[in-house]
Amino acid sequence: MEKSRITQYQLMFVSGFYIFGTMFITLPRSLTVLVLHTGWLCILLATALSVGYAWLLTRLLKRIGDQGFITYVISLMGRWVGMPFALFFLLVPTLFYSSYVMRLVGELFETLIIPETPLGIMLVMFLILRYWNVRGGLRSIGIFAEVLFPLILLILVSMLLLSAGHVEMSRMMPLFDADFSGLYKGTLSVLAVFMEIGIVLYASRGIIKREQTLGSLIKVNITVGFLILLIYWLCLGTFGSAYLMRLAFPTIEMVRNISFVHFFEHVEIIFLAMWVMMNMVKGALTFYACVSGFQSWFGLNSYRRLMFPIAVIIYYLASIPQNLVQAVFRIDQFKGHMYPYAGLLFLLLTEILAWWKAKKGGTAS
């Protein structure tokens, strides 16, 4: 059993890639749209609030035990309510999000690296990588993230240092120019991305020393919060707020400006390769969540027989959006407006139901 589980260090690598791979490509633009130059404060507030979310998350992880996330939700709500709830509010959204992540990576890879390659071939390639990673179990994903970490850290630090040469302090001013409404929306927008770490609930049975998970998630959130704050300042100082709001992927545009002694230029390919590697970890984890979740929902002993049909479904869902940029904007808006409320409401609902079941003599505690 130990061989199929991930350590706390591997959990930190996986969850760090999962959150950061979502944030750093589009967040500077969405924050600037909402709060202009005050995005730094939203990032700090959201990082602090993410600690409370991590606490609620780890409480649920402890209650789940070894029965699995979806199995626990069904047992908590009862079969007739729990199964439809798990299907429509947990499993189907996870399927759509896994498809969205793959389409985003495939689209950018096709557009910026090998533009003559059909999108369908890119999607199949990423599905094969996910399939290979998940077939080895959660441990395989953890080892993959652990091996990638030193290389990604080296590339990221190098890119950020080289980007600092184009920053002008005047473009960051004023430091505070948002009203309370904008500050609230901006904080929710960042918090929504931190809350995506709720995906670890699907991996509840595969975490070694689960009692240490809260400390691991707090370390990840603080580290990612610092990196996002740094990237926000770099993008804002490079482009200014007016131009930054018009960029769909401002971090990539920032890296395109890198020029070191007129020799080291056009390094966005290296940066995109780093982002693709992080999203390979993220895509594998979302795929694992889908197959392991449906395994529990159907009551199967193994998820391997579900991997191919779910991969086919993800492929077709990933092919749906015709305008990816508009899809990115809409998903960012949905996450910022709805996901924080939905995620917190779900955790509070499980707290109440667990308390009620324990009071009535059930097994939840």
Side-chain angles (χ1 to χ4, degrees), residues 2-304:
E2 291 288 318
K3 293 181 180 179
S4 63
R5 303 166 71 188
I6 60 173
T7 65
Q8 287 295 316
Y9 282 111
Q10 290 169 344
L11 175 65
M12 286 193 288
F13 296 142
V14 170
S15 56
F17 290 161
Y18 191 92
I19 303 173
F20 188 70
T22 300
M23 273 190 171
F24 81 106
I25 289 291
T26 62
L27 189 67
R29 184 259 313 156
S30 59
L31 269 182
T32 306
V33 170
L34 290 172
V35 290
L36 294 177
H37 300 84
T38 321
W40 62 273
L41 184 56
C42 297
I43 296 171
L44 294 178
L45 291 173
T47 303
L49 291 173
S50 70
V51 174
Y53 177 75
W55 178 74
L56 287 173
L57 196 66
T58 51
R59 280 180 59 87
L60 180 54
L61 275 174
K62 292 176 182 177
R63 289 199 307 270
I64 289 174
D66 293 326
Q67 59 185 310
F69 173 47
I70 297 299
T71 303
Y72 176 78
V73 170
I74 293 174
S75 67
L76 199 61
M77 298 183 175
R79 184 176 181 85
W80 294 105
V81 176
M83 290 194 71
F85 179 89
L87 178 63
F88 293 109
F89 293 98
L90 298 175
L91 295 175
V92 171
T94 305
L95 267 177
F96 274 101
Y97 190 68
S98 184
S99 306
Y100 161 77
V101 170
M102 188 174 72
R103 171 63 184 271
L104 183 61
V105 178
E107 186 91 25
L108 286 179
F109 205 87
E110 178 211 10
T111 303
L112 299 175
I113 299 180
I114 42 178
E116 299 299 324
T117 304
L119 177 63
I121 294 178
M122 300 301 306
L123 298 181
V124 169
M125 182 186 74
F126 287 120
L127 269 176
I128 291 173
L129 292 173
R130 288 186 181 190
Y131 196 97
W132 168 78
N133 224 334
V134 173
R135 187 173 176 81
L138 192 60
R139 179 76 166 178
S140 175
I141 302 173
I143 292 174
F144 183 62
E146 190 174 17
V147 171
L148 284 180
F149 176 74
L151 175 62
I152 288 179
L153 181 63
L154 176 63
I155 295 174
L156 179 63
V157 171
S158 301
M159 296 297 103
L160 294 181
L161 289 176
L162 291 172
S163 298
H166 297 278
V167 172
E168 293 184 15
M169 295 300 297
S170 60
R171 294 173 180 156
M172 301 181 184
M173 300 300 172
L175 289 177
F176 190 92
D177 56 354
D179 55 18
F180 177 79
S181 175
L183 187 63
Y184 179 72
K185 292 177 181 178
T187 302
L188 283 184
S189 179
V190 184
L191 181 61
V193 185
F194 277 113
M195 289 175 63
E196 288 185 18
I197 200 54
I199 197 79
V200 301
L201 290 171
Y202 291 93
S204 58
R205 290 182 293 183
I207 302 174
I208 297 176
K209 297 181 180 179
R210 201 181 308 169
E211 67 278 2
Q212 299 178 8
T213 302
L214 176 59
S216 299
L217 293 183
I218 290 175
K219 292 175 185 176
V220 168
N221 287 350
I222 292 175
T223 303
V224 171
F226 171 77
L227 289 174
I228 291 300
L229 181 62
L230 182 59
I231 289 175
Y232 170 78
W233 281 124
L234 289 175
C235 286
L236 188 61
T238 299
F239 300 113
S241 58
Y243 187 57
L244 182 58
M245 287 188 286
R246 298 197 295 268
L247 298 174
F249 307 106
T251 310
I252 296 176
E253 299 299 328
M254 178 185 71
V255 174
R256 278 180 169 173
N257 288 337
I258 290 177
S259 177
F260 184 65
V261 295
H262 302 288
F263 173 75
F264 191 65
E265 299 178 333
H266 304 293
V267 295
E268 63 270 14
I269 301 300
I270 301 175
F271 193 75
L272 278 172
M274 178 199 72
W275 182 67
V276 167
M277 287 187 289
M278 284 194 294
N279 276 277
M280 284 171 61
V281 176
K282 179 168 185 167
L285 188 58
T286 58
F287 188 45
Y288 174 85
C290 292
V291 295
S292 63
F294 276 103
Q295 173 201 347
S296 298
W297 197 83
F298 285 115
L300 302 175
N301 293 325
S302 173
Y303 61 70
R304 289 192 175 184

